[in-house]
Amino acid sequence: WWGSRIMQKLSREFLEQCPVERGFRIRGLEMTRIEVFVDAAFAFALTMLAISFDEIPGNFQEMMAALKRTPAFIAAAAWLVWIWWNHNSWSRRFGLEDAWTAVLSTALLIVVMVYVYPLRVLAEGAFSWMTNGWLPSSFRLQDFDELRGMFVFLGISFAALCGVFFALYGYAGRQADNLLLDDRERFMVNTTRATWATSALIGILAAVLAQLFPDHWVPFSGFTYMLLGVFPPLFEWLRHRAWSRREGIT
C-alpha cells in the first residue's frame, strides 16, 4: 500500500498547463481527497469555536453579555483560517496525494483539534485581561501557575503546528525532481521551510518566557507572538532580495 502511494514524476506537458502565482506553478488546481478531508476537518474545528449559549438569552442584558464573547471568537477563528489557508496554499502549489501527504496532513489536523479549544479559552482570557473584565471569560484559573501552564501549552502547540508545516515543505522539497520544481521554486520551498522554523522558535520562546516571567508578568509572554509580524516577513524579504541579486549576477 505504502509503495503504491509514492509520488509519480510529473510530465512537462502537464507542467506547461499549470498557471503561475507569485513565481510558483500551481500543480494542485484540482482538489485531492486528502484536501477535501482536511477542509471538512477545519470546518468542524471552526464549528467548535462557534458562539454557543448555555441557554437562549432571556433579555437584552443577557444577549449583550453573550455577544461580548464575539471578539474572542473572531480572533480564534481568524487564527484557524490562517492555518487552513497555509495548508491550502501548500496543496495548491504541489498537488501531492500520497502516503506521506496523508500522514503529515493528519498530524496537522491532530494538532489543530488539540489546539483549538485552548486557543478560544486564551483568546477570551486575553480580551478579558485587556478590557479589565468588560469582555467576559467563562474559563477560570485558580492561580498564576495554571495561567503559566496555559501559555506553555499554547507555545508548544504552536511550535508543533509550525513543525508540521516545516515537515510538509521539507517533503515537497524532497519531491522536487518528481514535481519538476525549477531553481526559483526550490529556493522558495527552502525559504518557506526556514520561515516555519523561525515561527516555531517564536512559539518556544513564548513558552519559555511564560515559565521565566514573574507571576504578574506572565500574560505579557503572549505578546511574543507579535514577533510573527516581524521576523518571518523580514527573513522572507531578505531571502527574496538575495535571490534578486543572484538573478542579477547570473
Side-chain angles (χ1 to χ4, degrees), residues 56-88:
I56 298 175
N59 53 54
F60 179 79
Q61 288 75 21
E62 290 180 2
M63 183 183 70
M64 292 305 298
L67 290 177
K68 283 183 179 181
R69 299 176 66 186
T70 303
F73 166 72
I74 293 174
W79 195 264
L80 188 64
V81 170
W82 175 74
I83 298 169
W84 167 81
W85 177 257
N86 277 285
H87 185 272
N88 178 67

Side-chain angles (χ1 to χ4, degrees), residues 127-188:
F127 278 104
S128 179
W129 176 70
M130 289 187 291
T131 61
N132 198 27
W134 186 79
L135 293 176
S137 174
S138 58
F139 193 82
R140 296 289 180 266
L141 295 171
Q142 299 298 318
D143 51 39
F144 281 102
D145 286 337
E146 291 185 355
L147 179 62
R148 186 174 282 108
M150 289 293 291
F151 275 105
V152 169
F153 176 83
L154 185 69
I156 293 174
S157 297
F158 180 73
L161 183 76
C162 295
V164 175
F165 279 109
F166 177 84
L168 281 167
Y169 275 91
Y171 178 61
R174 291 193 297 274
Q175 294 293 327
D177 291 337
N178 291 331
L179 291 168
L180 301 180
L181 299 182
D182 61 27
D183 289 343
R184 178 175 174 80
E185 288 172 329
R186 293 174 191 239
F187 185 85
M188 292 173 67

Side-chain angles (χ1 to χ4, degrees), residues 47-61:
T47 302
M48 291 174 62
L49 282 177
I51 301 172
S52 60
F53 304 104
D54 294 331
E55 57 183 18
I56 298 175
N59 53 54
F60 179 79
Q61 288 75 21

